[in-house]
Amino acid sequence: MQQPKHIGIVGLGLIGGSIGLALKELKCFKSIVGYDISPLHSSLAVSLGLVDECVELEDIFNRTDVIFLAVPVEGIIEVLQQIKCLKPETTIIDLGGTKQKILDSVPLHLRKNFIAAHPMSGTEFYGPKAALRDLFKDKIVILSDLQDSGAYQVQVARDIFLGIGMKIIKMSAQEHDKHIALISHMPHVISYALANAVLKQEDPQMILALVGGGFLSMSRLSKSSPKMWRDIFKQNKDNVLDSLASFENELTLARKLIEQEDWDGLESFMAHANKLQDFL
């Protein structure tokens, strides 16, 4: 099997920049080039060593053997529509946080080239300066609907993800979007809501002067990119709403137990929640 030599990365923020750094560590590619719609991000990516150089988007399509799409999920769909012609052996790997809508949008002539991937790693920061060399090490990457991808492209993606230290899990796009809505998308909504609840108080600065570890842990995700998460919530709307309904039911139960001064019931409610740690 011919080994890919030239890598292209579309989107040079936390995920795209970290991919660039991780691939450079492998020292097995002749070039790693990037593209970002922001000239500032492009300049920073080069100066920080995330990519060797920044080129035009068309050059990414024409010059590279593997193309990583690391832009917000709506942007991934837009980029895919711009690819009119591609070498048969080129591998396109999307790194978005949703899968079904993206897979549904892949043009038929690109489907064999396409790998739907979601690395389960990240931070609350974004932009090129947020990139980390070891962001993906020992983390999980979910690959979806590989039966429709080319065997060569599957092998390329597998080799790359294993090479940068990731563990591979395969699942359908439908399963992915349902499960990730509960463990990733819903917590972000809750964190944004918690932050807004505090900011709407009469004296938020006084409250924030008193915060401890619990609030900091729960509000950390509210620093995440609003643009990126808007697109994720849009694409996974139904699953996010189902997850929020489940959470609201539990919140309503806690409120009811407190209102009724059912302290034993509340203790049991919390003790049951403690069992989650047995699985983590």
Side-chain angles (χ1 to χ4, degrees):
M1 181 178 70
Q2 181 181 358
Q3 296 299 314
K5 300 294 184 184
H6 303 284
I7 303 293
I9 304 172
V10 181
L12 298 171
L14 167 67
I15 299 299
S18 297
I19 279 286
L21 288 174
L23 294 179
K24 283 194 169 190
E25 285 288 290
L26 297 182
K27 295 180 171 57
C28 60
F29 302 107
K30 287 187 176 180
S31 69
I32 300 176
V33 300
Y35 168 84
D36 197 286
I37 195 170
S38 164
L40 175 58
H41 282 190
S42 297
S43 177
L44 281 171
V46 174
S47 65
L48 292 168
L50 310 183
V51 293
D52 298 325
E53 64 173 323
C54 283
V55 299
E56 295 299 319
L57 190 56
E58 193 66 28
D59 291 328
I60 296 276
F61 303 154
N62 295 331
R63 289 172 47 183
T64 61
D65 305 311
V66 181
I67 302 170
F68 286 95
L69 302 182
V71 293
V73 291
E74 289 285 284
I76 289 173
I77 292 175
E78 292 174 12
V79 171
L80 287 170
Q81 310 317 307
Q82 297 179 50
I83 305 176
K84 303 305 179 185
C85 186
L86 208 62
K87 294 179 293 185
E89 66 274 15
T90 301
T91 302
I92 306 170
I93 303 174
D94 104 83
L95 302 174
T98 64
K99 293 277 77 81
Q100 191 66 64
K101 293 284 188 181
I102 291 173
L103 278 165
D104 289 346
S105 77
V106 179
L108 187 59
H109 71 282
L110 297 178
R111 187 59 189 90
K112 291 294 183 183
N113 302 89
F114 189 80
I115 302 292
H118 181 193
M120 297 298 294
S121 54
T123 73
E124 67 271 29
F125 303 108
Y126 49 97
K129 291 183 178 179
L132 299 170
R133 192 176 308 277
D134 293 328
L135 183 67
F136 305 108
K137 189 173 178 59
D138 297 325
K139 301 298 195 312
I140 289 170
V141 60
I142 300 171
L143 304 182
S144 295
D145 293 9
L146 293 180
Q147 69 278 2
D148 297 320
S149 302
Y152 171 76
Q153 284 76 14
V154 171
Q155 189 63 47
V156 167
R158 180 181 180 278
D159 289 347
I160 287 176
F161 285 125
L162 291 177
I164 63 175
M166 302 201 78
K167 303 170 186 177
I168 296 173
I169 291 180
K170 302 174 185 177
M171 69 174 58
S172 71
Q174 184 177 11
E175 288 178 310
H176 169 277
D177 287 359
K178 178 180 179 181
H179 299 327
I180 296 303
L182 189 64
I183 64 170
S184 175
H185 301 173
M186 182 185 68
H188 277 80
V189 178
I190 294 169
S191 187
Y192 287 125
L194 175 62
N196 282 331
V198 171
L199 290 171
K200 288 178 180 177
Q201 300 304 305
E202 291 183 6
D203 193 356
Q205 289 185 335
M206 177 61 73
I207 295 173
L208 292 173
L210 305 174
V211 299
F215 179 84
L216 292 174
S217 295
M218 290 192 65
S219 64
R220 177 181 64 84
L221 296 178
S222 67
K223 298 178 185 177
S224 302
S225 167
K227 163 64 176 170
M228 183 184 81
W229 282 98
R230 182 200 70 174
D231 287 359
I232 287 174
F233 298 146
K234 177 181 177 181
Q235 286 198 11
N236 205 23
K237 171 187 169 184
D238 291 341
N239 286 311
V240 172
L241 288 175
D242 286 344
S243 296
L244 284 173
S246 178
F247 176 76
E248 287 169 350
N249 288 338
E250 294 301 316
L251 200 60
T252 298
L253 174 57
R255 182 188 184 104
K256 180 179 179 182
L257 291 169
I258 293 171
E259 286 178 340
Q260 296 178 350
E261 299 186 4
D262 184 355
W263 309 123
D264 289 338
L266 183 64
E267 183 178 351
S268 296
F269 170 86
M270 294 185 289
H272 185 266
N274 288 163
K275 295 178 181 178
L276 176 65
Q277 299 307 311
D278 296 338
F279 302 96
L280 298 177

